Amino acid sequence: MLLLVQEAAFNIGRETEAFIAGVDGAGAVVTFTGLVRDNGGQLAAMEIEHYPGMTERAIAAIMDEACARWQLADALVIHRHGRLGPNEPIMMVATAAPHRADAFAAAEFLMDYLKSRAPFWKKEIGHDGAVWVAAKAEDEAALNRW
């Protein structure tokens, strides 16, 4: 398992290639990358804050849970913080498993957790002000199914 919480941008292709190269015993790899939505051109930037140490511990625990619930050969989570522009990658999840069902389920579980429970605080900065991003009922519903 590899967890990276970083300010720097990452290359999706390179990260995927490195992940696959390091996996043994997998028949399936699932990847997902979340991007900063530009809200119809209204977003200038997004600022993501976190508490170092606490964030990594919380995400590592959920990665451990994913590995316990599904037969995974490996898992990767990259999540950025700091100031990001529209369409920039915020996060990436990759899971590898002997069979695709476990890889898909574990990736979706991790994504639902990152969206609704991971200790990050997001502020959308528009051309006419800034607002903190609130939790959404649909994100909670997605997490509750697990």
Side-chain angles (χ1 to χ4, degrees):
M1 278 189 336
L2 178 61
L3 167 61
L4 301 169
V5 178
Q6 63 191 43
E7 192 167 353
F10 59 90
N11 181 293
I12 300 161
R14 264 195 302 256
E15 296 296 342
T16 301
E17 286 177 5
F19 180 73
I20 291 170
V23 172
D24 289 324
V29 170
V30 170
T31 65
F32 173 84
T33 303
L35 307 175
V36 176
R37 286 187 287 269
D38 72 355
N39 293 336
Q42 299 302 307
L43 187 76
M46 175 177 279
E47 289 183 1
I48 302 173
E49 297 180 8
H50 77 108
Y51 289 113
M54 180 181 117
T55 301
E56 290 84 355
R57 281 190 300 276
I59 297 172
I62 206 68
M63 291 175 76
D64 287 342
E65 184 176 338
C67 289
R69 291 176 90 169
W70 293 280
Q71 187 179 356
L72 295 182
D74 206 353
L76 165 71
V77 171
I78 302 171
H79 203 297
R80 294 180 63 199
H81 62 89
R83 189 176 180 100
L84 288 75
N87 301 313
E88 284 190 52
I90 297 175
M91 54 77 69
M92 177 180 177
V93 168
T95 55
H99 302 283
R100 70 177 184 236
D102 282 352
F104 273 111
E108 199 168 5
F109 171 77
L110 289 168
M111 292 178 304
D112 287 343
Y113 171 81
L114 289 168
K115 182 72 174 168
S116 62
R117 286 289 193 284
F120 290 99
W121 295 268
K122 300 173 185 174
K123 185 189 319 179
E124 292 180 341
I125 302 166
H127 301 296
D128 57 354
V131 62
W132 289 100
V133 177
K136 296 179 181 164
E138 59 265 22
D139 294 334
E140 290 298 314
L143 185 62
N144 288 336
R145 66 193 166 119
W146 301 107

